[in-house]
Structure formats: C-alpha cells, structure tokens
Amino acid sequence: MKLFLFPLALAFGLFASSLASAAIVEHTFEVKNMTVELLCNRRVITTVNGSLPGPTIRVDEGDTLVVHVLNNSPHNITIHWHGIFQILSGWADGPEYVTQCAIRPKHSYTYRFTIKRQEGTLWWHAHSSVLRATVHGALLIRPHPGRKYAFLHPYKEVPILLGEWWNGDIVEIENQILTAGNELPPSNAYTINGLPGNLYNCSENQMFNLKVKRGKTYLLRIINTALNNQLFFKIANHKFTVVAIDAGYTNPYVTDVIVVAPGQTTDALLTADQPVGSYYMAASPYITTQVIAIDDTTTRGLVVYEGTSNSTAPLMPRMPAFNDTPTAHKFYTNITGLTTKSNPHWNPCPRSVDEHLFMTFGISLAPCPQNTTCLGPFGFRYSASMNNESFVLPSGRGMSMLEAFFNGATGVYTTDFPDKPLVEFDYTNPNISFDQSLLFAPKSTKVKKLKFNSTVEIVLQNTALIGIENHPMHIHGFNFYVLAQGFGNYNATRDEAKFNLVNPQMRNTIAVPVGGWAVIRFKAKNPGIWLVHCHIDAHLPWGLAMAFEIENGPTPSSTLPPPPADLPKC
C-alpha cells in the first residue's frame, strides 16, 4: 500500500516536488508455518503471508518503507533488508543480536526506513537461524519519479528468485549439525521462484513459466536466495545484457550465462528475439569445495513465446560443469560500473585510503564438547574464522551490539579485531589444509573501529584451510568498489597494478575467487554497527564473520538516532 506525502507549505520551493513524489510504502508480514507438498514430500515450512517466495516489495527511490512483522511462527525471527544502506536507520538492518534482538513468537515489530540513493534489485530475508531458506522475497527499487532507468525501459519486469529446497525440516537439520559439529547436507533440489522444475521426481507440474511476446525486451531481476551455492543461469538460445548488479548500474555486458552467489542480484535484459517456441531457463550449481557432498542437479523453468504450439518440444541450454571456475571468473571480472550521467548514484572511487585491512578467512575447527560425539575432521566440530578470530553472536548479553554502541555499554563486544592475520602462512597452499597448528581459532565477539567518513580498503583473502572454497562475503550497510580479484595469495607489488579505479563494479556481496583474493574499498560514512560475514548460511553460526563499529559523525545529521521505542528486547 502506497500513501503519498504532500508538502506542508509552498515555502519549501524546489523541495516541494521531491516531497510530493515521495511516499510511504506499507506492508504487513505475517510470519507463520504452513504445510507444502514438493517432490512427493509434505513438509512444514516457515513463510511470510503463506507464500514461497514471500511478497515482492516495490518502491521508488526516496520512498519510506514501513513493514509490520507479526511473528506467528514458533521461531525467533528478524528480517534483514539485504543491500539497503540504512542511512542513519541502522536499527532497521535486522541481523539478530547485531542491530536488534529477535522478534519472539506471538510478538511483532515494525521496520521503518527510507530508500536513499539506490535503485535496482535487492531482497529481504530472515536473519535468524536458517529461516531465510523459505523466508525471503524481492525488494525492487524503481528510479525516483521523473527519472528513467539507465537503460531502455523494458516491456515487463520479472523477478527470478533462485533457491534451494530440502525435503527435511531445515531448522531441525541445522540444530542437528550444530550439535554434531558437521556440515549442512546438500539440498534435494534447486528452485526458480519456489518451484523445482520437471527434472526432479514428482515435479512435472511444478515449474515456473514465463510467457513472452516476440520482439519485446524483459528485465529479469535475478536473485540468489540459496543457503549454500552459487548458481549458473542460462536460457536456451538466448543472450542477456547485464545492466546492474546489487542495485548498482553497470556498463551493458552481453553474455549467455549469468553467475550469482548467495546474496547477490543481477539485472539482465532479455530480448525475445528467437523463433516462436519454448525454451528452458535453467540454473545449476557452481561449486568449488571438494570436501563436502554436493547437490549437482539442475532446476529449470520455461520461456514460452506467444503463439507457441503445445506440441513444440522446448530447447535446453547446455549448462557449465559444476566446477567451471573459468566461466564464473570471466563473468565476475568483466563487469564494470556505469559512470555516465544516466547513473545518478555514481561517485568516483576515492583514491586515498585511511585504513588498510587484510582479512583471511576459511573453515576451521573447534574442540568437541565433553561427552559429545562430533563428526568433523579428527573428531572435532567445524568452525570458521576471519584473521584467526571465530565470531560469536552476543546472545545472552542483554542487548544487541548496536544498543551497546549507542549506550556506550561494555561486555557485549570488544574493539580489538586485528587489522591483519596474527599468523602469516602460505594461505592458499592445499598442503596446509589439515595443519592442526592453523585450524583452531578462539571464539570472540570483536569489531574493528572506524572513524566516520574514513576510506577503508580491504584485501579479502581466501585460505585452503580444510578445503579450498569460494566465499560470498557480504557487508551490511554499504556498497563497495571491487578494485581487483584473482587467484593465489594476494601480492601488493604485483596485484596493485590490476586495480580498476576508473569504473569499478560496485557490490554489497562479492564472491571471493576460489583459492584467491579480492580487494574492495568503501567510505565509512554511516555510524553504527555493521556485520561482515560469509553468505553461506552455515558459516555465520560457525564464526565466519566480524563487524565494523563506525563512529558518529561531527554533526547531528551524522549521528545515530535513538532506537525505536518498540525495538525487541533480549
């Protein structure tokens, strides 16, 4: 529901037209359990408003979004608005114990924030437990009224949410693995808009269909909501023109395959320029780890041209191999940011840097609790770490991290997260994968303190600990410039020459290359606590996370306001 806000007085002059076009967009989310049948299995899942995916939110840049969350499920829950900057509205960001405590069963909370300097495709999802497997939906931001897209206006816009499906109760599965210390088992299927497609058993009539008119151009708003896996996406005999990623415009990039990591979004134009007929769209995994079981299956939907005969056999695209790193790397590195006037939100990449950070991360181990059998390597339990610190959410400490920041409270977190790994080693050498002298990291809740408006550069360095893997790293509250990415150990002498400081792509989630590195840069201009973590869902409770504490700015307009009165309490 969209309610328009009219200016209070003509004295506002030029601001009046802007205020008149701003709006309050209001939704009610009822979180509840429902029974569904998929792949010949009846299963209880948690959803929003009884749908999978959940409701699509459509707003204009400049609108204020108000979402009333009623928790009628049996689980504690929070909602994260993935990729939203939350400028001075960090209380609405949503990660449990970081910016708020959970909304308990039979309780409610209202999220309120304004969409500023963003347009494109984002999404919302649960940020408690593994509930985002079924509690998620698209968040589509159109240009401010009076402005156009930075590309030709499409005939139609189509959200494409790629996901994973487990036949078992995903919350119970997570509880079991956290007890046993092993990894999340592979999914039973991948999905397109909640449907697995007809390559799976018992799924002949459970396939997403997109009807198109020949000659028309469609904007596909592609979102990877999966817990574990990056995904390749193709449509038989068609090409895409990528025009945005993570709600940031790009120079048009033509490709026949799109790769999206968990948490990422891609806006791609699809022109229906093939002969009238049916064409499969398909998504299959891009998986780089070699130490866990994988779901190497394919989900598919149909693109059906108007006038197609029912007897026409659909064409199937040839999908990349599940470990096709060259194809994935080519896609990720060929995208550049749009710097022309048609992109009203582009700011040049800052050239001087105030804070240089070097962050290593990967899977590690933790001791097995007494009188417990653990199923990880050497009889230990799986853990994860960044710079040899394994992050612990501060549950049971009486308040969220953001409340502690606002109140100046101690005992919730410390500000001594290291700027670089305390132990240097040959990070991506597979011979160190099971070196027990490197595999154990202390549990802690540490943040890195940053000055307001400082420029921060981070080298994100994968390691080979336990196994070589690609990690999708997400920073809450910011987009960042991706300056370069590559394989092996980062070497400043060699790799700084590769930096793109002219038109780097901007993201909120980056798939750091398998056995490799990426360098990112951003301005710390939003005070509060901002979580940094791997968007593979098992890795957050394992500890692959940290947070930034960004100081208040020098003026009231750059200072975090007080929390809402109804903010959930711990």
Side-chain angles (χ1 to χ4, degrees):
M1 179 172 63
K2 194 164 185 174
L3 307 174
F4 287 91
L5 301 175
F6 291 94
L8 298 177
L10 294 176
F12 283 106
L14 293 175
F15 292 104
S17 60
S18 174
L19 287 171
S21 59
I24 294 177
V25 180
E26 193 162 2
H27 288 262
T28 296
F29 279 11
E30 183 187 8
V31 183
K32 61 182 179 181
N33 281 1
M34 64 178 290
T35 301
V36 298
E37 185 167 333
L38 206 64
L39 307 183
C40 287
N41 283 273
R42 290 179 63 82
R43 198 192 116 193
V44 174
I45 63 173
T46 305
T47 63
V48 169
N49 296 355
S51 67
L52 178 66
T56 295
I57 293 177
R58 292 177 172 86
V59 294
D60 295 338
E61 192 269 331
D63 286 352
T64 295
L65 182 59
V66 178
V67 182
H68 309 285
V69 178
L70 315 176
N71 186 7
N72 289 325
S73 82
H75 309 292
N76 288 343
I77 200 162
T78 64
I79 303 293
H80 171 51
W81 315 92
H82 188 110
I84 293 292
F85 294 157
Q86 300 292 1
I87 299 173
L88 296 180
S89 57
W91 301 105
D93 191 43
E96 189 176 40
Y97 299 117
V98 178
T99 60
Q100 68 170 97
C101 297
I103 307 168
R104 299 188 302 277
K106 303 302 179 183
H107 287 71
S108 63
Y109 177 57
T110 296
Y111 292 91
R112 180 187 293 267
F113 53 91
T114 300
I115 314 294
K116 299 177 182 178
R117 297 190 57 79
Q118 292 183 274
E119 53 194 71
T121 301
L122 295 174
W123 63 302
W124 57 266
H125 62 81
H127 215 294
S128 302
S129 179
V130 287
L131 290 171
R132 76 173 168 93
T134 55
V135 178
H136 60 252
L139 201 173
L140 312 181
I141 309 170
R142 298 166 300 219
H144 193 282
R147 285 207 307 261
K148 297 180 180 180
Y149 289 121
F151 47 82
L152 183 67
H153 193 85
Y155 175 71
K156 188 176 181 181
E157 301 180 14
V158 184
I160 302 288
L161 283 76
L162 307 177
E164 288 173 296
W165 174 266
W166 280 263
N167 286 333
D169 184 328
I170 187 63
V171 175
E172 181 58 32
I173 291 172
E174 184 196 37
N175 291 337
Q176 292 171 1
I177 68 169
L178 291 177
T179 299
N182 58 334
E183 72 278 357
L184 192 69
S187 55
N188 296 104
Y190 299 105
T191 59
I192 299 175
N193 289 343
L195 300 172
N198 62 1
L199 282 177
Y200 298 98
N201 291 332
C202 303
S203 60
E204 291 80 6
N205 299 316
Q206 297 176 333
M207 182 163 59
F208 173 69
N209 280 259
L210 172 60
K211 295 181 179 180
V212 300
K213 293 184 178 182
R214 193 171 190 278
K216 299 295 185 180
T217 296
Y218 297 78
L219 176 62
L220 304 186
R221 295 178 175 270
I222 304 164
I223 305 167
N224 186 346
T225 73
L227 297 191
N228 282 339
N229 289 323
Q230 299 185 61
L231 293 163
F232 294 112
F233 180 78
K234 297 186 75 172
I235 297 176
N237 286 20
H238 289 74
K239 289 188 176 181
F240 309 100
T241 301
V242 174
V243 291
I245 54 173
D246 290 1
Y249 286 120
T250 66
N251 287 305
Y253 172 56
V254 178
T255 176
D256 69 344
V257 59
I258 287 171
V259 194
V260 275
Q264 290 183 337
T265 71
T266 299
D267 286 358
L269 297 175
L270 169 73
T271 299
D273 57 3
Q274 295 301 300
V276 170
S278 296
Y279 302 84
Y280 280 118
M281 65 170 66
S284 62
Y286 168 49
I287 303 175
T288 57
T289 181
Q290 299 177 4
V291 296
I292 62 173
I294 64 173
D295 175 6
D296 185 17
T297 62
T298 299
T299 178
R300 63 185 184 186
L302 266 182
V303 176
V304 183
Y305 279 64
E306 188 178 80
T308 298
S309 167
N310 291 334
S311 61
T312 303
L315 298 177
M316 178 68 186
R318 183 176 180 179
M319 303 303 292
F322 74 87
N323 58 354
D324 188 348
T325 291
T327 292
H329 192 64
K330 177 183 177 182
F331 176 84
Y332 284 136
T333 56
N334 276 5
I335 295 174
T336 54
L338 182 66
T339 64
T340 65
K341 291 182 179 179
S342 59
N343 181 1
H345 307 306
W346 175 260
N347 287 310
C349 179
R351 297 302 181 102
S352 60
V353 176
D354 303 302
E355 291 274 4
H356 289 271
L357 307 177
F358 191 103
M359 293 187 185
T360 59
F361 45 86
I363 307 305
S364 56
L365 297 177
C368 189
Q370 192 172 6
N371 300 321
T372 302
T373 300
C374 292
L375 302 179
F378 310 115
F380 295 106
R381 61 190 305 130
Y382 278 109
S383 182
S385 63
M386 298 181 67
N387 281 1
N388 202 46
E389 295 288 342
S390 187
F391 185 81
V392 177
L393 288 170
S395 60
R397 301 187 199 176
M399 65 180 70
S400 70
M401 297 173 71
L402 189 59
E403 288 176 280
F405 166 80
F406 182 82
N407 294 318
T410 60
V412 177
Y413 64 87
T414 61
T415 57
D416 54 344
F417 183 84
D419 290 353
K420 61 183 181 180
L422 301 181
V423 177
E424 295 184 9
F425 56 97
D426 189 0
Y427 305 118
T428 56
N429 184 345
N431 292 327
I432 58 94
S433 293
F434 293 97
D435 183 342
Q436 292 195 40
S437 69
L438 300 171
L439 287 179
F440 294 87
K443 297 290 183 179
S444 63
T445 308
K446 294 186 177 183
V447 308
K448 168 63 181 177
K449 195 169 186 176
L450 298 173
K451 292 187 178 299
F452 179 80
N453 210 36
S454 60
T455 298
V456 185
E457 182 177 293
I458 310 173
V459 177
L460 298 168
Q461 176 69 64
N462 265 312
T463 67
L465 297 175
I466 302 295
I468 299 175
E469 196 172 358
N470 178 309
H471 289 92
M473 300 300 294
H474 172 45
I475 300 182
H476 287 226
F478 297 92
N479 277 2
F480 47 78
Y481 301 90
V482 180
L483 304 187
Q485 47 195 310
F487 298 98
N489 297 334
Y490 175 76
N491 182 307
T493 302
R494 175 194 65 210
D495 294 325
E496 279 188 4
K498 304 173 185 176
F499 283 11
N500 177 3
L501 299 173
V502 177
N503 61 351
Q505 60 179 273
M506 297 195 72
R507 285 199 175 273
N508 61 58
T509 306
I510 181 170
V512 181
V514 55
W517 52 270
V519 180
I520 65 174
R521 191 178 289 182
F522 70 96
K523 275 277 192 183
K525 55 186 178 182
N526 196 8
I529 298 290
W530 304 103
L531 188 63
V532 182
H533 67 103
C534 178
H535 223 265
I536 296 175
D537 212 71
H539 290 176
L540 177 55
W542 283 357
L544 210 164
M546 55 84 66
F548 290 122
E549 179 196 272
I550 298 178
E551 298 175 341
N552 283 311
T555 64
S557 63
S558 58
T559 299
L560 181 71
D566 62 340
L567 187 74
K569 303 301 180 183
C570 291

